[in-house]
Amino acid sequence: MSAPRLEIDSGKVEHNARVLVTRLAARGIRVTGVTKAMLGSPSVARALQRAGVSGLGDSRIENIERMHQAGITTPMTLLRSPMLSQAQRVVAHADVSFNTELDVISALSLAAKALGRTHSVVLMVELGDLREGLMPRDLVNTAREVLRLPNIRLEGIGTNLACRSGVVPDDRNMSELSALADSLERTLGTGLNVVSGGNSGSLDWALGDADTGRTDDLRLGESILLGCEPLHRQPIDGLHDDCITLVAEVIESKVKPSRPWGELAQAAFGDAPTPADRGDLLQTILAVGRQDTDPHGLRPPPGIEVLAASSDHLILDSGGTHLPVGAEVRFRLDYSALVRAMTSPFVDKVTTCSDDHVPFRAARAGERGVG
Ligand SMILES: *Cc1c(COP(=O)(O)O)cnc(C)c1O
């Protein structure tokens, strides 16, 4: 197989999604499966559907179109506020979009009318993380305007936390969301189908002791794909943390000094820290670099350390392990490394499907390090 490549095990993704769907169902919360980090991969989308998500969400209309064209029929939500210039594409392919600007919703209304469709809108509310969202005081008036627009349905409200600023979803901001849903319904005399309580960062809150109030939907990407929660990047109990691995190939393997020699100026990516003198080490170079992934987000196998990376090279201290030219090394990835690898044209994407019925422990025991 060619390298570098991402190996995506859709069976493990399905397992993770099913566990979260089940746990959240017990709290009356549905899961929108988020496909953006997979670029709308149809096989991952189908795995999420098998796991029982209530719909799919993506931030890019291109990815939603890809899933549509692959014949996937489930409600699709565009999670990023639509660009004015994409109003027609959004209405043609997404059933729902998240919105904060009346100008955009008006354009969606016109486009929906032209296509003879109804487009549903979730109004996003700012609760402190300072990414997208209407200020809470503007919600009622904006919703009132939305209700006047032809071919637009007000589907509900939502919020996004723990993203730009790392604001933690807690009883205070989440009960504010519920209170806003109640007051909107009272004031406008209309029911809301969705109160979307955030991304993977809301899992701890939703599965904890809190009263989840009106929240009936979470949008989950990272927690399903990586098996970890994003607030403290802790593994989630019972989930696979190796659904996706990056495999890269050794192109040089030599014993070299740990410190450079000669006069030092800037390196290719600015100032390089001068390494400590550890004597000679087994330095291994892999054919993968910053053009392919975020080297800081790679977790190497035990006994191997990432020393540095350039555009095209990843330099390892392979410890006691001799990795011959042609050998492959397998890494776990964090979210940053994952999205960079997914979007690099140099990285092959290979989707496999391990049997979802393999018990969790047994699947873990089969885990490999280098190889
Ligand atoms: C990306 C995104 C999500 C999914 O976030 P994860 O942390 O990957 O679960 C949810 N909502 C919005 C608006 C997003 O942009």
Side-chain angles (χ1 to χ4, degrees), residues 221-271:
E222 176 170 353
S223 51
I224 293 174
L225 298 172
L226 299 181
C228 81
E229 58 78 33
L231 296 181
H232 307 100
R233 298 253 139 70
Q234 293 301 308
I236 300 173
D237 187 39
L239 264 56
H240 297 289
D241 67 351
D242 60 349
C243 298
I244 305 169
T245 48
L246 178 71
V247 184
E249 185 176 327
V250 176
I251 54 172
E252 183 184 299
S253 179
K254 300 202 183 301
V255 175
K256 290 195 184 185
S258 44
R259 286 170 68 91
W261 63 92
E263 192 191 333
L264 295 180
Q266 289 207 350
F269 289 89
D271 287 319

Side-chain angles (χ1 to χ4, degrees), residues 34 36 79 98 131-132 160 199-200 219-222 335:
V34 176
K36 69 191 183 201
L79 300 174
F98 285 5
R131 204 180 73 178
E132 77 275 36
N160 199 60
N199 53 44
S200 296
R219 309 158 325 251
L220 303 181
E222 176 170 353
Y335 196 69

Side-chain angles (χ1 to χ4, degrees), residues 175-234:
S175 53
E176 186 177 356
L177 185 69
S178 287
L180 285 166
D182 287 340
S183 82
L184 199 58
E185 289 184 342
R186 262 197 320 271
T187 317
L188 302 178
T190 181
L192 301 175
N193 292 329
V194 176
V195 179
S196 186
N199 53 44
S200 296
S202 294
L203 269 177
D204 276 356
W205 168 81
L207 296 174
D209 300 329
D211 173 4
T212 49
R214 293 289 311 267
T215 297
D216 56 19
D217 169 81
L218 290 186
R219 309 158 325 251
L220 303 181
E222 176 170 353
S223 51
I224 293 174
L225 298 172
L226 299 181
C228 81
E229 58 78 33
L231 296 181
H232 307 100
R233 298 253 139 70
Q234 293 301 308

Side-chain angles (χ1 to χ4, degrees), residues 57-308:
D58 202 296
S59 52
R60 311 272 172 156
I61 192 64
E62 293 84 349
N63 295 342
I64 288 179
E65 287 169 355
R66 180 180 175 196
M67 291 188 280
H68 239 187
Q69 273 145 22
I72 291 168
T73 51
T74 185
M76 303 249 190
T77 300
L78 182 66
L79 300 174
R80 187 174 67 180
S81 302
M83 290 181 235
L84 261 187
S85 56
Q86 292 186 334
Q88 258 156 344
R89 285 172 81 177
V90 172
V91 167
H93 294 278
D95 307 279
V96 186
S97 59
F98 285 5
N99 285 271
T100 62
E101 294 285 350
L102 269 177
D103 283 351
V104 172
I105 305 169
S106 303
L108 294 171
S109 168
L110 283 176
K113 209 168 165 200
L115 287 176
R117 300 186 61 150
T118 300
H119 184 75
S120 296
V121 160
V122 170
L123 289 176
M124 294 297 276
V125 189
E126 176 63 73
L127 291 179
D129 197 56
L130 297 179
R131 204 180 73 178
E132 77 275 36
L134 291 151
M135 290 304 284
R137 60 175 176 271
D138 298 327
L139 181 62
V140 167
N141 281 340
T142 306
R144 197 173 270 131
E145 294 298 316
V146 170
L147 290 175
R148 291 206 183 106
L149 291 170
N151 300 69
I152 294 288
R153 185 168 39 224
L154 178 62
E155 184 75 4
I157 63 173
T159 194
N160 199 60
L161 294 164
C163 207
R164 175 191 159 187
S165 313
V167 170
V168 176
D170 58 19
D171 286 346
R172 209 163 67 153
N173 44 37
M174 296 308 290
S175 53
E176 186 177 356
L177 185 69
S178 287
L180 285 166
D182 287 340
S183 82
L184 199 58
E185 289 184 342
R186 262 197 320 271
T187 317
L188 302 178
T190 181
L192 301 175
N193 292 329
V194 176
V195 179
S196 186
N199 53 44
S200 296
S202 294
L203 269 177
D204 276 356
W205 168 81
L207 296 174
D209 300 329
D211 173 4
T212 49
R214 293 289 311 267
T215 297
D216 56 19
D217 169 81
L218 290 186
R219 309 158 325 251
L220 303 181
E222 176 170 353
S223 51
I224 293 174
L225 298 172
L226 299 181
C228 81
E229 58 78 33
L231 296 181
H232 307 100
R233 298 253 139 70
Q234 293 301 308
I236 300 173
D237 187 39
L239 264 56
H240 297 289
D241 67 351
D242 60 349
C243 298
I244 305 169
T245 48
L246 178 71
V247 184
E249 185 176 327
V250 176
I251 54 172
E252 183 184 299
S253 179
K254 300 202 183 301
V255 175
K256 290 195 184 185
S258 44
R259 286 170 68 91
W261 63 92
E263 192 191 333
L264 295 180
Q266 289 207 350
F269 289 89
D271 287 319
T274 312
D277 190 358
R278 293 194 272 164
D280 284 352
L281 49 82
L282 201 49
Q283 180 181 295
T284 302
I285 301 182
L286 303 183
V288 66
R290 297 191 199 216
Q291 293 206 69
D292 310 291
T293 188
D294 175 2
H296 297 292
L298 296 178
R299 185 145 57 91
I304 293 181
E305 187 190 338
V306 174
L307 296 175

